[in-house]
Amino acid sequence: MLLLPTLITFALGISLLKTSTASPGQSVQKWDPNACAVVVCGPAQNGLPGRDGRDGKEGPKGEKGSQGLQGLKGSQGPPGKMGPAGLVGGKGSPGEKGTKGDIGDRGLQGVPGLKGNPGNAGPSGPKGEKGSPGEKGERGLPGTTGSQGQPGIAGSAGPKGDRGSVGEKGAKGDKGDRGLQGSSGLQGPKGQIGSPGLKGDKGSGGEKGTKGDSGLSEINLLKRQVSTLEGQLRALQSSFSKYKQVIMFPNGRIVGEKIFMTSGYEGNFDSLKQRCSQAGGQLASPRNAAENAAIQQIVVLYNKSVFLGINDIQTEGHFKYLNGENIGYSNWQTGEPNNDKGVEDCVEVHSSGKWNDTSCGEKRLIVCEF
């Protein structure tokens, strides 16, 4: 800070030396680009200026000099105090819509709402498929005994016969031809015994004749009774045939005197054997190709294999019917029976009609024979 005034004084001295040659009668203004200040000199009015300048008058104020060179940048001052808060700015225009944010975490479950009013009844659903046929019902109780028919009309007593004379022993006649059988009538109720006729006089004893034929009246009565029974039997057979056709459709098959039926039930060998026994039959046990084909048709109809009433539980490899009789007919599939894993003691029939040995604990479709 002390160096700056010294330099200014030195510059003023050099300026005065350069302007000393000017004439006293003129005002001299000269700019020295190397000087640090501008000095204005005028003519001396009260004598020469003193050496130290203290006895001279103050000259006129010089014109404002041009701006000096920019000084060195000062060091940064301490930060000023924080000014007062400005006025609240106006509401800015809304910004552009931002991109959709990520899905947030699931919130806590809300309180369950009040139960709504019951909705209207929906339309009825489609008709379900036909169910499998039910199991065969138990045998009904026997019917009550019919009332006794009306008694027949009593026959009238025959007239008393005349006493005949003893005839000569005649020759044995030829046996007549058998007459044509009359149409069978319905058997009437047994009539009451008619009242006995009057006792005739005792005739004289004749010679012993040859043994005669049996009385025609009793024979004709027996014939009528047999004919009536035959008619009733034919009616029963016709009704039974129609009945069998009804109960066989579509769950059964008839082969000769055998009927093969299924109820659609499925179970293991023991349960199926017990059910057939309770129904008055036994598990299907085909003894020929025709009976095996009837069972195969039921297998195809239900698309399920069935157990046969055949096994080798007692002796491995010796298959027998349920009554212990050795089988006389078989229809094994190629490579069977093989007793796989040592547990295949029962026999099943596939849709091909072929037999396979399998475990008795498996569940198969029931087919009974009657």
Side-chain angles (χ1 to χ4, degrees):
M1 295 297 294
L2 296 176
L3 181 61
L4 183 59
T6 305
L7 291 176
I8 293 172
T9 304
F10 180 74
L12 289 175
I14 295 173
S15 177
L16 290 174
L17 291 176
K18 289 184 178 181
T19 56
S20 61
T21 58
S23 62
Q26 67 182 31
S27 177
V28 179
Q29 295 182 0
K30 188 174 182 181
W31 168 254
D32 188 350
N34 297 322
C36 297
V38 177
V39 179
V40 178
C41 299
Q45 295 179 357
N46 295 320
L48 295 173
R51 287 176 296 175
D52 54 5
R54 287 177 293 182
D55 52 354
K57 293 182 178 182
E58 185 178 358
K61 186 177 180 179
E63 295 180 359
K64 185 177 180 180
S66 59
Q67 184 175 359
L69 297 176
Q70 184 175 356
L72 298 175
K73 183 177 181 181
S75 59
Q76 183 176 359
K81 295 181 180 180
M82 180 179 293
L87 299 176
V88 178
K91 185 176 181 181
S93 59
E96 296 180 358
K97 184 177 180 180
T99 56
K100 184 176 181 181
D102 297 333
I103 298 176
D105 297 334
R106 184 175 180 178
L108 299 176
Q109 183 174 356
V111 179
L114 299 177
K115 184 177 181 179
N117 296 327
N120 298 328
S124 57
K127 184 177 180 181
E129 298 179 357
K130 183 177 180 181
S132 57
E135 298 180 5
K136 183 178 180 180
E138 298 180 357
R139 186 175 181 179
L141 298 175
T144 57
T145 305
S147 58
Q148 186 174 357
Q150 298 290 338
I153 301 173
S156 59
K160 181 179 179 180
D162 296 332
R163 181 178 180 183
S165 58
V166 178
E168 297 178 354
K169 181 179 179 181
K172 185 177 180 179
D174 297 331
K175 187 175 181 180
D177 296 333
R178 184 176 182 179
L180 298 175
Q181 182 176 347
S183 58
S184 60
L186 296 176
Q187 182 179 0
K190 186 176 181 180
Q192 294 180 351
I193 299 175
S195 59
L198 298 175
K199 185 177 182 181
D201 297 334
K202 183 177 182 180
S204 59
E207 296 180 3
K208 184 177 181 181
T210 57
K211 186 177 181 180
D213 297 331
S214 59
L216 294 177
S217 59
E218 294 182 0
I219 294 176
N220 291 334
L221 179 61
L222 290 174
K223 286 181 178 180
R224 285 196 299 269
Q225 291 176 346
V226 170
S227 178
T228 301
L229 291 174
E230 288 177 346
Q232 293 175 349
L233 179 59
R234 286 192 297 269
L236 288 174
Q237 288 176 337
S238 177
S239 299
F240 181 68
S241 178
K242 293 179 180 179
Y243 173 73
K244 286 196 300 183
Q245 293 175 358
V246 171
I247 64 173
M248 289 302 97
F249 180 82
N251 302 320
R253 297 292 184 272
I254 301 176
V255 180
E257 297 298 324
K258 283 188 178 182
I259 299 175
F260 298 96
M261 286 198 63
T262 180
S263 64
Y265 175 79
E266 295 180 49
N268 59 31
F269 178 79
D270 288 335
S271 65
L272 300 185
K273 183 175 65 173
Q274 182 179 6
R275 280 181 175 254
C276 288
S277 178
Q278 292 174 348
Q282 66 174 11
L283 269 179
S285 305
R287 295 175 180 264
N288 53 55
E291 293 179 0
N292 192 75
I295 299 172
Q296 177 189 359
Q297 292 174 5
I298 298 177
V299 172
V300 173
L301 179 64
Y302 281 80
N303 194 26
K304 294 177 181 178
S305 299
V306 304
F307 271 132
L308 297 179
I310 298 172
N311 64 77
D312 66 344
I313 297 176
Q314 185 175 2
T315 304
E316 177 60 36
H318 292 78
F319 288 89
K320 298 181 178 182
Y321 295 112
L322 297 179
N323 60 3
E325 180 185 351
N326 292 327
I327 63 173
Y329 166 80
S330 63
N331 192 30
W332 293 108
Q333 187 172 317
T334 303
E336 302 295 342
N338 59 4
N339 192 29
D340 187 29
K341 298 180 181 178
V343 295
E344 297 184 335
D345 296 326
C346 290
V347 181
E348 64 179 349
V349 179
H350 296 311
S351 58
S352 62
K354 295 294 184 179
W355 297 4
N356 172 59
D357 60 335
T358 187
S359 171
C360 299
E362 298 290 334
K363 287 188 176 182
R364 295 293 183 267
L365 179 67
I366 186 173
V367 175
C368 302
E369 74 172 42
F370 301 92

